[in-house]
């Protein structure tokens, strides 16, 4: 009997689906690319043709210019060669999808990046039973257990009320995390204007255009220093400690990332108020997902494979690690 999934070939630059002659999330330009979501370690410019959700394609247009695009909405199926391809929500960022590949009675699900917690800015993860589940393992260690997101947002708001004459500057990845922090603040009753770094503008506008309300947003550029006192300001993590932030009124430096669970990382970045808010599943979410998807095999990407492989072994699920290059964690840039 042929080996399970022998029609799927992992290469360092991506996952090749032979009978579709297409690549999933290739890190190099390819003739045919299937893209799970808009983060730069999954979506690159320069492909011949791209299949992705309409939201992901819109994000790619903003980042890389017009794509030769084949939009596939959640729940739709397209046929590439002999392979049926569909896109199912991954709960990671707006438009993020698991790519479901059906070929001659076998089903492979490439989950891209995912989380299981509710996120007001995107559709929740859908469990798709399959033969091979390809999962990320960004936080694939039992020490990673993310706290409740609402409680983290409440810590931010409490700090805002108690700091006189200061603002809170939150570093957040420009695609997904920034909009989620804003939407979570709104959900916790913060309806004041939120200020943003210029690098956030296009993606925030796009989210709103695609139906994710973010409330009143104002650019920092052009705002007077006094106006920024007592405000939440969102910027890319790279701007937290640079010259740009000197114009702000005595900022409390904060950052929203799953990595803020690691104190040393917070210290390295001089983060006074670390917020553990992640768009990747923690250990419990990864395990829960594998149990629910109940695959015959688990293929693992994104670092930290060992612990998850060990868990699979204990639970009699075959597993292997894929050595894909360029899969950075999305939460750092
Ligand atoms: Zn991602
Ligand atoms: Zn990723």
């Amino acid at each position: 009997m042929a080996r399970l999934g022998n029609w799927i070939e992992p290469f360092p630059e991506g996952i090749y689906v032979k009978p579709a002659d297409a690549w999933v999330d290739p890190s190099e330009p390819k003739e045919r690319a299937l893209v799970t979501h808009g983060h730069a370690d999954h979506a690159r410019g320069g492909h011949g043709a791209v299949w992705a959700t309409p939201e992901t394609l819109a994000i790619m247009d903003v980042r890389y210019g017009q794509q030769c695009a084949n939009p596939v909405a959640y729940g739709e199926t397209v046929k590439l060669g002999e392979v049926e391809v569909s896109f199912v929500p991954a709960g990671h960022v707006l438009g993020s999808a698991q790519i479901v590949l059906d070929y001659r009675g076998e089903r492979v699900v490439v989950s891209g990046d995912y989380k299981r917690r509710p996120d007001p800015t995107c559709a929740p993860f859908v469990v798709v039973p399959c033969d091979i589940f390809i999962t990320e393992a960004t936080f694939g260690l039992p020490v990673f257990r993310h706290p409740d997101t609402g409680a983290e947002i409440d810590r931010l708001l409490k700090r805002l009320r108690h700091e006189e004459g200061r603002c809170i500057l939150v570093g957040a990845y420009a695609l997904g995390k920034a909009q989620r922090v804003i939407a979570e603040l709104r959900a916790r009753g913060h309806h004041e204007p939120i200020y943003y770094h210029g690098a956030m503008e296009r993606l925030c506008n796009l989210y709103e255009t695609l139906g994710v309300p973010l409330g009143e947003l104002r650019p920092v550029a052009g705002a007077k220093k006094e106006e920024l006192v007592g405000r939440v300001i969102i910027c890319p993590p790279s701007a937290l400690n640079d010259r740009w932030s000197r114009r702000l009124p005595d900022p409390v430096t904060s950052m929203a990332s799953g990595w803020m669970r690691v104190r040393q990382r917070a210290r390295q970045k001089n983060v006074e108020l670390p917020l553990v808010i992640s768009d990747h599943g923690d250990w419990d979410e990864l395990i829960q997902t594998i149990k629910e998807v109940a695959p015959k095999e688990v293929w693992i990407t994104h670092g930290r494979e060992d612990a998850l492989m060990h868990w699979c072994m204990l639970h009699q699920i075959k597993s292997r690690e894929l050595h894909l290059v360029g899969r950075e964690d999305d939460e750092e840039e």
Side-chain angles (χ1 to χ4, degrees), residues 37 39 41-42 92 113 280 330:
H37 67 287
H39 280 143
D41 59 327
H42 296 259
H92 176 59
D113 293 339
H280 298 271
D330 316 302

Side-chain angles (χ1 to χ4, degrees), residues 98-265:
Q98 310 171 69
I99 299 181
V100 181
L101 304 161
D102 284 294
Y103 174 67
R104 297 190 179 172
E106 282 182 15
R107 171 173 286 175
V108 175
V109 173
V110 186
S111 65
D113 293 339
Y114 65 94
K115 68 174 176 293
R116 303 301 304 273
R117 286 158 201 258
D119 176 339
T121 66
C122 65
F125 183 96
V126 171
V127 171
V128 180
C130 60
D131 299 298
I132 298 176
F133 184 57
I134 304 185
T135 182
E136 56 136 327
T138 304
F139 292 108
L141 286 177
V143 294
F144 288 116
R145 289 197 157 91
H146 305 324
D148 177 68
T149 306
E152 295 297 281
I153 295 292
D154 287 347
R155 286 204 300 122
L156 192 168
L157 290 172
K158 194 172 165 199
R159 188 72 184 258
L160 188 66
R161 284 193 299 272
H162 286 88
E163 293 286 358
E164 264 186 52
R166 302 183 74 181
C167 62
I168 297 194
L169 179 61
V170 185
Y173 190 72
L175 169 57
K177 188 62 61 64
Q179 296 77 22
R180 181 175 172 210
V181 168
I182 293 167
E184 298 276 11
L185 279 161
R186 300 311 188 197
R188 303 303 274 192
H190 183 74
H191 299 298
E192 303 292 308
I194 293 174
Y195 288 74
Y196 62 81
H197 183 285
M200 303 290 180
E201 184 168 10
R202 291 207 300 172
L203 285 168
C204 286
N205 287 345
L206 180 65
Y207 264 61
E208 295 231 272
T209 308
L210 294 173
V212 181
L214 299 175
E216 191 185 343
L217 303 182
R218 294 180 184 171
V220 165
K224 294 216 171 60
K225 203 169 186 170
E226 319 71 270
E227 184 186 336
L228 299 172
V229 170
R231 304 296 193 180
V232 177
I233 300 169
I234 311 268
C235 72
S238 59
L240 277 178
N241 298 308
D242 78 4
R243 279 163 51 100
W244 173 84
S245 66
R246 286 188 215 154
R247 74 175 79 177
L248 308 175
D250 193 12
V252 176
T253 304
S254 178
M255 179 152 158
S257 163
W259 294 113
M260 290 297 103
R261 172 75 176 68
V262 182
R263 272 196 206 144
Q264 200 188 345
R265 293 238 191 174

